[in-house]
Amino acid sequence: MNYCSNCGSAQLQFRIPEGDNRERYVCSNCGTIHYQNPKLVVGCLPVWEDKVLLCRRAIAPAYGSWNIPSGYMENKETLAEGAKREVWEEAEAKVNIHYLATIYDIPRISQVYVQFVGELVEGKFGVGVESLESQLFAEEEIPWKEIAFTSSKFTLSNFFADRKTGAAKLHRGCFPQIARN
């Protein structure tokens, strides 16, 4: 950070504010504390009959790789609204959200992924501006080596495992894996 978004001053210090326990950017001119918090990434795994919809990315990072339709949550939307919006933006598809499937933390880059499972409305989809193509895949057709992110691999793996048992569970994951006591 170079300037205070409150007063425009360039007199920012990276220090622990009084009463806090973490370093923050603090404006020495007006005293505003600038909090930097993790970004939420929301998405939905659209399901149609026995297949799932994935999109080949037309944007960085991981250009050309397959992914569950996902992206940064916007202000003033719920998790489910964000997930539905992302499916529309990437696959020009509508989904009916069924359940929350995964919460996946990546502390190293300050991101939290929240993935739902939903039904693809009428099986219809297209190709959004952030995608090169969209395609339905049966489990045995998933291009595992071309999946863009560990969060998508985690969601897909758990979805297929749960489908075999008829479960609809919430799974929590972290990358890299953190030992829990």
Side-chain angles (χ1 to χ4, degrees):
M1 241 181 149
N2 295 319
Y3 296 93
C4 175
S5 60
N6 187 56
C7 73
S9 172
Q11 299 174 20
L12 296 176
Q13 299 173 332
F14 195 62
R15 62 179 174 82
I16 300 173
E18 187 176 329
D20 204 334
N21 61 1
R22 295 179 188 265
E23 288 186 310
R24 318 266 187 201
Y25 285 102
V26 180
C27 180
S28 58
N29 185 50
C30 71
T32 297
I33 301 169
H34 298 276
Y35 296 94
Q36 294 177 308
N37 302 105
K39 293 189 181 288
L40 278 175
V41 178
V42 294
C44 180
L45 178 61
V47 178
W48 181 250
E49 297 173 347
D50 68 333
K51 297 183 176 187
V52 297
L53 181 67
L54 300 177
C55 298
R56 189 182 293 270
R57 293 176 58 80
I59 57 174
Y63 179 93
S65 297
W66 291 96
N67 196 44
I68 293 171
S70 309
Y72 291 117
M73 189 170 170
E74 298 289 349
N75 290 331
K76 299 185 180 184
E77 69 182 1
T78 67
L79 290 169
E81 289 169 343
K84 287 179 176 186
R85 176 185 48 76
E86 286 295 334
V87 171
W88 179 257
E89 288 177 359
E90 295 185 22
E92 294 182 349
K94 294 181 180 179
V95 290
N96 291 321
I97 301 280
H98 284 269
Y99 65 95
L100 180 58
T102 57
I103 298 173
Y104 191 81
D105 297 301
I106 308 179
R108 176 180 55 82
I109 57 173
S110 301
Q111 292 181 352
V112 178
Y113 287 71
V114 178
Q115 301 278 2
F116 292 90
V117 169
E119 181 182 1
L120 187 60
V121 174
E122 299 178 358
K124 295 179 181 178
F125 64 93
V127 179
V129 296
E130 296 180 357
S131 300
L132 298 170
E133 62 181 305
S134 301
Q135 184 177 329
L136 288 168
F137 291 93
E139 181 177 5
E140 62 277 2
E141 299 170 332
I142 299 290
W144 290 103
K145 291 182 179 179
E146 297 178 56
I147 300 296
F149 306 111
T150 58
S151 57
S152 287
K153 289 178 184 177
F154 182 78
T155 298
L156 285 164
S157 296
N158 284 297
F159 168 76
F160 288 121
D162 286 351
R163 187 167 74 171
K164 287 178 175 76
T165 64
K169 298 188 295 187
L170 173 61
H171 297 271
R172 291 182 56 218
C174 188
F175 182 82
Q177 192 64 34
I178 295 174
R180 299 187 197 280
N181 295 334

